[in-house]
Amino acid sequence: MLTISIQTLWNIRILVLAKPEHENRISHVFSDSVKTGIANTLGNKGAVGVSFMFNGTSFGFINSHLTSGSEKKLRRNQNYINILNILNSGDKKLNPFDITHRFTHLFWLGDLNYRIDLPSTEAENIVSKIKQQQYQELLGKDQLNVERDEGKVFLHFQEEEVTFPPTYRFERDTREKYAYTKAKATGTKYNLPSWCDRVLRKSYPLVHVVSQSYGCTTDIMTSDHSPVFATFEVGVTSQFVSKHDPRSASEGGIKFMNCTATLFTKSKTKFFIEFHSSCLEKIVKTSEGENTDVDNGSINVCFAELQLTPIISDPEYLLDQHILICVKSTDCDESYGESCVALRAAEACNAGFKVSLTHRGESTGTLTGVIQLHLTESKQTEKLYDFIKVEKDDHGSAKSKSGENRSAVPHALEIINPSYMGVGVRGGYATDMGWSYTPKAGNVSPKRPGHGRAPNTPDEAEAGTEMFDNPLYAAMAMQSRREQELPRWDPPTPPPDAPRFPPPPDGEPDRAPKPTPRNRSFTCSEGKPPPLPASLAPGPKRPVVPQRSEGGVVLAAPRPPLPIKRAALLEPQPLHKPREPRDQHTRAPARPSQSLPANKQ
């Protein structure tokens, strides 16, 4: 397995692995940690997170350990809010949004420490219900479920049905008995059996995600917790390559109409909407909306119609995109709510949408409107999800274009495109996830028959390998065209004095001269002659010992000896020669020819 990232905070750790064949698909890997211990400075409680991009789909994974104790439910809720607002992960361009909106798929797991909210006198009754596998009555008293239903924590997160017994608190080295009492100096402390270890997820609307398993294991007994596991099947968007000429492809557009935001505030400021998406060249803002007071302490803000221009107008590309919406104040540019809208909802017609607005983990209102997506009427659209299943390692097998070796590894790469509409909502409605869509007219276009199947003939496989221009990453053929337009490089002409090979012997005028073999390779820069062969190179030169002059200049030849100084003449000193430090304190001797003063004789 390939290690994507490892992040550790004290005893909290997250490890993300991937198959080696997916290494080139993964990019933009980020990791971070948040401390929520005493005064938010100790790392015994907190969270670690890892995020990355898989092709065009973003993933986020968070492992958290929240405050323990049956009576500290509100403290755990605050730990969640702190992690939500402090953890730095995902696309940095999405600063107005918290981490619950930055990823296509976000998985939150770990020891959340939420307990069964029952008195300690019900301990034996709880154990009896666990033995009878009567979990539903106990899950109704689960603190996490109660807080989620009231919208206080993990808003719009989903959890699969719990069909396994509580994972806490077992006796070590056994899974047959719950040790729900603990003797302490202050008395007996009760730790009722609870589902402390959980796995939750949140995904963008109308994306493919299906849970395949959710449970706990009894093989690991070194802790008083039973580890939980969960597996999911999710769709990842592949790199888009248009099947049509960009100059003749039908143009698409995105239009938002009749947008009205209901905000749980009485603020008198003006509001506008920001639209963020990877399919847009830049952030798009609406004009100021018109505020209308509501009797229940809220305000309604109506916004004008807005047209968005995507970077790629192909309808198949647009149907895979999501638009992140942020309602902001014009006074301080503060967010009053964020949400996400899927363009897939407007595939066949104009679609009315209603999404919940959240800010810092709390509900702040709703947003309603209509999406209009310009598509070609006669053109059916497809989902660009790739589900890749590798049956066998075929790195060593060579595949020719004619398909001769395709039978060597049958069905080595199977690409499946299942139905995606409505998948991922189990045990609830779309409104439970914070969004809902209502078609205005018409039905969703049916799937094209035969989509996602493998080529039946070598001719189909040959046609499938044709390379198309990608407007997002520029044309693939531009590079080869530029290489043809570049001037051809010719080797430089050697100078006249360069050594030449001897002429061929008499009798063989047509044979080319045989070059002298070289024992090593040389690299010549342009404009310089190539080095001489070893046989023609001159002998080694004698080293020249440089001599240093008075001014510090190295001379090629020794200087002639200086003339002998006379008593009456003194050689003049050069003006540029610095004065020695010792000359400042030592007085020069008197000249012999000078006469002493009269008072010194």
Side-chain angles (χ1 to χ4, degrees), residues 473-489:
Y473 297 97
M476 299 296 297
M478 291 295 293
Q479 182 178 0
S480 59
R481 190 180 301 114
R482 287 195 299 265
E483 293 177 355
Q484 297 176 2
E485 296 176 357
L486 292 176
R488 182 178 179 181
W489 180 84

Side-chain angles (χ1 to χ4, degrees), residues 528-564:
K528 294 183 180 182
L532 298 178
S535 58
L536 301 179
K541 298 181 179 180
R542 296 181 180 180
V544 179
V545 180
Q547 296 184 4
R548 191 176 301 275
S549 64
E550 297 180 358
V553 181
V554 178
L555 303 178
R559 294 181 60 183
L562 297 175
I564 301 176

Side-chain angles (χ1 to χ4, degrees), residues 257-262 353-355 366-370:
M257 303 177 294
N258 304 330
C259 291
T260 302
T262 302
F353 67 89
K354 181 179 181 180
V355 293
T366 59
L367 178 67
T368 60
V370 177

